[in-house]
Amino acid sequence: EDFLERPPEDSYSDDDFYYTDEQVESRITPLYFKPWWGMFNTPYWVMTEIASGDMFNYTHTSFVQFTVTSSNSNLEATWGSLYSVVAQSNEIINNLDSKVDAGVSQDVINSVKGEAYFLRAVAYFYLVRFWKEVPIIENAYDYIYAPQVHKNFEEDIYTFIESDLEMAISLLPEKTRGADFDNNARVSVGSAKAMLAKVYLTEEKYTEAKTLAGEVISSGEFKLLDNYADLFLTSNDNNQESIFSLQWCISTDYGSGNQSNIVNSAAGYGLSNIGDWNVFGPSQDILDIYPTGDEREIENMMIPGYTYENLYTSDGDQFTVPDDISAATSGSAIKKYVVGGQDEYDNWGMTSNNTYIMRYADLLLIYSEASMAGSGSTTDAIALSYFNQVRERAGLVDLPNLTNEILLQERRREFAFEGEYWFDLQRLLSESDLLTLLSNQNRGDMNYPQYYTASAEDLVYPIPANESASNPLLLEDAVAYDFTN
Amino acid sequence: QTTVEGVVKDEANVTLPGVTVLEKGTNNGITTDFDGNYSITVKKGATLVFSFIGFTSQEVVVGEQTKIDVTLKPNVENLDEVVVIGYGSQKREQVNSAVAVVDLENTKEQPKVTVDQMLQGQAAGVSVTSDSGKPGAAVSVRIRGATSLTGSNEPLYVIDGIPISGDARNSATSGRPIAGSDFTSEGNTTVNPLAALNPNDIESVVVLKDASATAIYGSRGANGVVIVTTKSGKKGSGKITYDSYLTFQTQSKLLDVMNLSQYASQQNALAEIYGLEPRVEFTYPELLGAGTNWQEELFRTGVTQNHQISLSGRKEMFSYYLSGSYLKQEGTLIGSGLKRYTFKTNLDSRVKDWLRIGTNLSVAITNEDLVFGSSSNGIINYSILSAPDLAAYAGDGDFQAQEENNLGINFNNPLAMALAVDTELVRKNFFGNTYLEADIIKGLKYRFEFGGNTEFSEFDKYTPEAEYLSTEEAVYNVRRQSWYSWNLKNLITFDKKIDKHSFTLLLGHEASESAWQGVISQGNGFVSDQIHALDVADETTANDYKGSSSLVSFFGRLIYDFNNKYSLTATYRADGSSKFSKENRWGYFPGISGSWRISNESFMSDVKLVSDLKLRVGYGQTGNQNIGGYAYGSSLYSFTTDTGVGFLVSNLGNADLKWESMNQTNIGLDMAFLNNKLKLTVEWYNKVSKDFLYTIPLPEYLTGNNNWEGGLGNPTVNVGEMKNTGWDLSLNYGASTEDFSWNSTLIFSTYKNELTEMNEDLNLIQTVGDINYNDITVTNSVVGQAIGQFYGLKADGLLRSQEEVTNAGTYFGETPEIGDVKYEDVNGDGIVNEEDYTYIGNPHPKFTYGFTNNFSYKGFTLSVFLQGSYGNDILNLTRKYGTRNSNLYINQLSEAQDFWSEDNTDASLPRPQLEDHNNNRISSRFVEDGSYLRIQNVTLGYNFPSDLISKFKMTRLRIYGGVQNLYTFTDYKGYDPEVGSINQNALLMGIDNGRYPSPRTYTMGLNIEF
Amino acid sequence: MATIITSCNNDDDDFTNPEINSISLASNDSAVVSGYKQNMYIVRGKGFSGVQNIYFNDVDTYFNPTYVTDEVIFVTIDESTPYDYSPESIRIITNGGEAEYSFDVLQPSPTITSFTPNVGSAGVEVTIFGEVFNNLESVYFGDAEATIVSFSDTEIVVNAPDIVDPVQITVTTSAGSVVSEDFFGGLSYYIYDDALNSDWWSGGWGETNDFANTEHVNGGSYALKTQINGWSAFQVGNGGASIDASDYSVLQFDVYAESDGNILVSMNYDYSTNVQVMSLTAGQWYTLTFSLADFNVSDIQAFAIQEFSGSGNTLYIDNLGFL
Ligand SMILES: [Ca+2]
Ligand SMILES: [Ca+2]
């Protein structure tokens, strides 16, 4: 009978693996980047920044023109990517306890499980904001022979996210973010609380959001990095401002790195090692949002003639933005996450430069926004001081009061091309104001100003066509999620 | 009583061992010894019957003689009287199952490179399509339709006792291709698993079609079995044979694409519609020339030459066959080609009267120049889509790169893809088998066999750094793979004849193991393109893989015959497989069949018209275990991370996994009329396969992306049931006079495929990567319908009036405009969306046929072979890309000029739109009738008269010339209606996604024997 | 094989000498004897098949082989082609011979991308950035000619003439003239001229603002209109980087009131101590100037006009800023 026993010879079996702390921890590290790549290599920008009018190109015109259809590949890539995170998190949450050997420390098990809950919550948070209603899946094995399910209510998804983050808070370790950046890579209780504050804010649970954000801020776990420009250097990955970032790495596995350096910037100037694709450029609309003296402008967009201290071409030349720079016919190019040709890179030109999912500046502004509690303005001194901390770092003066419009504008400047503006618009503006704003944006290139009318349906993405083809129930009305199973 | 002795010889005066000498009307008989001697004691006046396979029996009345020497004459008609079946052979007249013997004479003078190609149109119920026209390409062979859903449907080939899977996807072993990357974006990359076998070395090919015949192969027999026996030494003095042919292959059809001047006008028109700047160089299209005709650049006349020398003979107790061959084939697609060297040795020896041993060994080395042309973004599609303003070569003689443009459209220079990318696959294959056969007591034989098969393959692909390939760095990809398998058999056969009852009992045990391993490596960054080696690369990476599988079997078979009238065969096999968990490891496969030779009944003796009539009925069960290892558990996928190696779960395991099984009933009627001049075989079958080993494509909300992207691989489960019901018909007529002979065979096959059961939640939707690297749905399979049907919207011309637009409702949430494609609202809810996707075409033919005709007059022979398919549809994606009108800087078919505009309201194509648009969704617009009738072969040959050639010590001199794929009658608008399946996938039949077309071939050949 | 040029189907021994007959602009096929870099031209003649090189002023010029027929070539003059060259010509070399034809490559018109500083008194040194300033003939500030200090192909340094109102700068070379988009002169820092400075926010109390009003305008297309309730205020503030008050000496704006009344001008939220009160008569434009020192501020944060009669007023404000 041994002759007929053939376990894998080139990989581990999940049933015969969990013997040491190191082995258990090795199960969570890829979850910090690998399954996210499908979304973050390009589609994320398309679905957030092109849609919101921050970025422009001719490759994704349906997002520019509000004509996205269910068969658009970006939707499926993002959907599949987020559900990869869900599926892998589920494996850890459901199986780790039963498969782990007695010799593994309980702290390690708790932390890894807490991280899985955290990551699953973040994935659902994106899903619910992009699609509003999606199926909640806790264990794929329950559906192998009956995979067709309905979508679940938006409020149930939020309930599920809250409960996952609460689990994460109960399992994750406490941390202090110090100068040992490597130690900051994995999330902590503070990360989970901060994320939960953002979830509450999106749910308009302002009191809870404010309390939780305030708690994390006063804990002192996170701090603003002194210099905005330093935030996006690979050497500052996992600095004390990082609450949660994707841990890209240099690998021989395709799809492990940050692709920004190739898809952003501008083609033909040697800023990447394998060629610039020049996929994205800044929109015409975003080009003049920065006041004079705002240090963030030059770190987010390239302005002809400017010489970057930290940016080199692959030939080793310090980079001065050429006069004819024009990524996606914009007359400019994106700078954020462009790290140049001297950074380390993998075979496909991707770098290990981490992508922020949440950083401390966001948390400060969450507190400020929650303080307005939906009223549209506040003069709360703490809220203002947190808000002005972010402005001060950018080299701007303090503002005496805070309104929705001012906050929205400030967030757009701070998080330009980080994928926040699409969600900010939906959170901070009424639907009619949002549609008016989108319809009045210049969504053309530098030569042809163009305007497109957005409608309410354009604010929620359609379920990817291949998914609804394999499960037509997804096109039906959502149902309540059964939390008891 | 008297004792008679003597020698039996053939016409060439060679003694014949093993000839049966029987006293007529009794059981008294013996066989001749090694020197053809016999000695028998009989009654005086008795009649001796000398019979030997392949020779006409001869009767001699014993008078006073004590020495009777006999010369037997060959009997051409009965040559194939004995048919090899699994683990033995059987008299043809006693075969109860569906077994087809392929007449190799029909294809011998066609330049077939692999044995599977020789089956096309030669056996009813066996459908053969080339998946690609490239040299050495994989072939899809379907015996009585598809048996499995997504597993391999290729038959098992048993070559001199060694089982070889026809599965080019290697799904039961490594699951990896031997050429190209592990990803499928390179399209149809499979290579032929049988490319190592030189068809010229083959003696016979027998196809076991039904389960009563294949049940003896148990878990590996579900898709049918093709038993190939190679040549061995023939009695007679040594023979030297030289065979050679030379062919010229050309692209049989070119498509009508726009020339530069037409292209410029079209680009201007499209730019205006898209609201983009027109190109200044196109302001006066009439001043421009024809530009580059990419089809002319990419297709060429390919020359093939083939040479083979063989030596064979049988002397005393020893027979031998030795051959060596050389083939060099250029593909019609520039840059593709195949070289092959083969060596073959077959030796048999009778050591003792009761002991025979033998061995055979095949060595083949193939060297293929590959061009991965058959994907959406492959060269075949680029031959249509590459812009005519892209020059093949720049002024300096290097390849030209496409000029930059504001839409970022960049097509690689397809000529450079074919020529500058150096892609080579070398395979070194060795296989052999040794046997020992001993007569224990009269009628009882023991046979031991040990066979092995191993292949080393070296795949190399060097892509230089070049603008025309959009590469910023030279990349060298390497795959080194090897696998071996061994196979051990112990067989006991017992023959017994009691009066009119005869029995053959077989008992056997078999064990086999396969193991494989491979290394994939990549080197990046080279200072020059001279040397292709990892050692000179700037950076190198490597990955490896390995695994093994094993199978243990016990089986038995009883063949019973009564008086040549009634016959019964029963088989049973038990297989234990490493593919399943302990609980589900063993599978049991029974088979039973019987026949009634009606013409041997006395009541038929007066029916002169009927010379033979036999009814056969059979039933059997077989299995399928063609999946990768450890599908019953979950394994971990490793990834590099910043803090050491990390692991994600690779797949959803399924502990309940078990065999896929197939049951088949076969009823056949063999008839012969007019003294065997006209023969007809009709067979009906019902084939039910169930519990498919199916890797369910679960929705992504359950699995996420592919596992290499961090998602979970889909689980393999047992689901569903499928039925193939069909008729195989074969009609043969032969007639001859002294100088003239004529023989025609019509093969006709039809089947009806139906998915009869499927877990209702699961879907069998299949996608292919389109030209924008998106996966688009192309087929779906549901209960009650045939599998793999094209799935999309029903198009009904264009919306040509405002009224039609108003009635159309919305299309996927958008309001269509005049000039858009009109889609049918299938579910009648007033709008068109995903829910209106439906079946828009069926890739299964209503029937297929082959018609072989051989004529000879004196030394001349003429053979004409027609072959075709009727009633199947093709999804022509190449034409979809060629008529999209959805972007600039891309050429289109000439018909793309006929698009809707205010000035062309009766256009055939919709109004152009930038980017992909509802108009270009998969719809019935792209489904075409794939019926065709092909003149597959016309060959004229001449045998020089023997009195002339004997002066040169030749015994045979033959020359021939012919044309293959001479002409195809079809309405299909693509290159070639013989589309096959994408990577042998039964659910992706009939999809033309840039298939490498089959060429037209002109052949000249020579055949000499000494 | 790779050395055969595919556009050439002539037999190798059947070469004809090329001949150029005319050149025209590709965009409209108008015959020309001269042209500009980076423009595409149609060269007509015969014997062009088998073209190997095309030279404009001896610069080996890229051409697309598919845009070549025996009688026509489409070619774009390379960016690196000199325009002061002798003799000015196009040469075509084919495998059958060579043809030469006289063709002038002209200097492109100048362009101005920016200049600095953008305000200053007579004699201040102003640097103008742009392209193709070769053969510079003159620089004008409005109607007043500036003195050229130095110039290169991409930069001109001049001494500004004396000007009163903001003016555009005109650069003239032998290839033509160009007028700058931006104005030189006027205020050194604008809070409002035709639009609110994008760095600034607006937020007073009891007022309604229209920043694109056209009823009463004092220069340009718009003035801002603010309807202020009694004792309420129009207020704008700096949302950008900190502005050092010592960089400027004067706060200045034009104002037009619909009703007679008083206004209180204040800075940096100090509405009571360092303030200025002015009386306005309805129906006329005033230009108001205040010394910044009087407001006693170190950086400039906000500026407010409070209605100070109690009856409310509608004000039109234009050209608000600092000198
Ligand atoms: Ca419908
Ligand atoms: Ca104005």
Side-chain angles (χ1 to χ4, degrees), chain B residues 149-198:
Chain B
L149 270 186
T150 54
S152 170
N153 277 295
E154 302 304 313
L156 174 71
Y157 293 85
V158 178
I159 300 173
D160 291 337
I162 299 171
I164 294 176
S165 166
D167 176 18
R169 295 182 288 176
N170 305 314
S171 37
T173 54
S174 66
R176 305 197 191 220
I178 67 170
S181 75
D182 285 350
F183 302 110
T184 51
S185 61
E186 281 165 330
N188 209 340
T189 59
T190 52
V191 294
N192 196 310
L194 301 167
L197 186 66
N198 176 7

Side-chain angles (χ1 to χ4, degrees), chain A residues 172-430:
Chain A
L172 285 171
E174 302 267 359
K175 251 183 201 178
T176 310
R177 307 271 160 171
D180 177 10
F181 289 178
D182 289 344
N183 184 49
N184 301 340
R186 290 165 60 184
V187 294
S188 60
V189 179
S191 313
K193 285 181 178 169
M195 189 57 71
L196 185 54
K198 191 163 182 171
V199 171
Y200 283 143
L201 184 71
T202 310
E203 287 186 87
E204 303 181 3
K205 294 181 176 173
Y206 299 114
T207 317
E208 292 91 329
K210 186 175 171 178
T211 310
L212 210 48
E215 201 179 299
V216 181
I217 292 168
S218 41
S219 79
E221 176 175 349
F222 305 98
K223 281 184 278 302
L224 282 182
L225 204 61
D226 290 343
N227 192 349
Y228 186 83
D230 292 343
L231 278 171
F232 305 97
L233 300 176
T234 308
S235 55
N236 288 331
D237 280 352
N238 303 319
N239 63 74
Q240 64 266 32
E241 183 167 341
S242 171
I243 291 173
F244 168 43
S245 36
L246 300 178
Q247 306 290 316
W248 304 121
C249 67
I250 304 292
S251 169
T252 55
D253 305 317
Y254 175 68
S256 298
N258 186 337
Q259 200 154 261
S260 310
N261 200 46
I262 326 168
V263 297
N264 293 329
S265 86
Y269 303 113
L271 275 179
S272 88
N273 316 76
I274 69 144
D276 318 85
W277 301 353
N278 189 12
V279 176
F280 298 105
S283 70
Q284 297 302 299
D285 195 62
I286 202 175
L287 286 177
D288 50 9
I289 64 165
Y290 288 100
T292 313
D294 192 328
E295 292 168 20
R296 295 171 298 195
E297 177 173 28
I298 196 65
E299 298 307 326
N300 288 333
M301 286 176 295
M302 294 186 180
I303 294 166
Y306 186 84
T307 300
Y308 287 98
E309 206 175 304
N310 286 318
L311 197 57
Y312 290 83
T313 67
S314 45
D315 295 334
D317 303 326
Q318 193 168 13
F319 184 67
T320 298
V321 184
D323 284 343
D324 59 350
I325 195 142
S326 196
T329 330
S330 63
S332 178
I334 290 165
K335 164 63 173 60
K336 184 167 274 175
Y337 289 125
V338 172
V339 289
Q342 294 293 91
D343 222 65
E344 249 199 298
Y345 62 98
D346 69 14
N347 286 334
W348 303 272
M350 297 181 229
T351 71
S352 66
N353 189 231
N354 285 351
T355 300
Y356 294 104
I357 298 299
M358 195 175 186
R359 53 189 174 88
Y360 187 56
D362 195 3
L363 188 66
L364 292 171
L365 297 182
I366 286 169
Y367 185 94
S368 309
E369 187 178 332
S371 301
M372 292 195 283
S375 71
S377 68
T378 185
T379 50
D380 176 333
I382 301 176
L384 264 173
S385 84
Y386 288 162
F387 174 75
N388 281 326
Q389 272 186 40
V390 176
R391 284 180 56 87
E392 281 161 26
R393 176 176 60 180
L396 300 184
V397 297
D398 286 2
L399 289 189
N401 59 8
L402 188 57
T403 63
N404 266 357
E405 288 70 32
I406 288 173
L407 185 80
L408 181 63
Q409 198 181 22
E410 205 57 55
R411 287 187 62 90
R412 190 185 194 190
R413 292 167 182 159
E414 176 72 18
F415 302 114
F417 316 126
E418 290 179 61
E420 293 291 320
Y421 190 48
W422 179 244
F423 302 127
D424 292 347
L425 284 170
Q426 308 203 34
R427 211 175 53 244
L428 285 159
L429 294 184
S430 69

Side-chain angles (χ1 to χ4, degrees), chain B residues 831-899:
Chain B
I831 57 169
V832 171
N833 60 14
E834 286 85 353
E835 294 174 39
D836 296 304
Y837 273 68
T838 186
Y839 303 93
I840 53 174
N842 185 344
H844 297 273
K846 294 211 164 56
F847 59 84
T848 56
Y849 51 94
F851 188 36
T852 308
N853 301 277
N854 294 313
F855 307 93
S856 74
Y857 177 72
K858 295 192 171 169
F860 290 95
T861 62
L862 172 67
S863 85
V864 177
F865 172 41
L866 311 176
Q867 168 259 325
S869 172
Y870 177 79
N872 58 301
D873 293 322
I874 296 176
L875 182 62
N876 191 346
L877 294 182
T878 302
R879 186 154 162 262
K880 170 175 144 82
Y881 308 142
T883 58
R884 282 193 313 165
N885 283 334
S886 66
N887 227 323
L888 297 180
Y889 304 99
I890 294 172
N891 202 12
Q892 301 276 277
L893 294 165
S894 291
E895 62 172 306
Q897 295 171 103
D898 188 23
F899 60 80

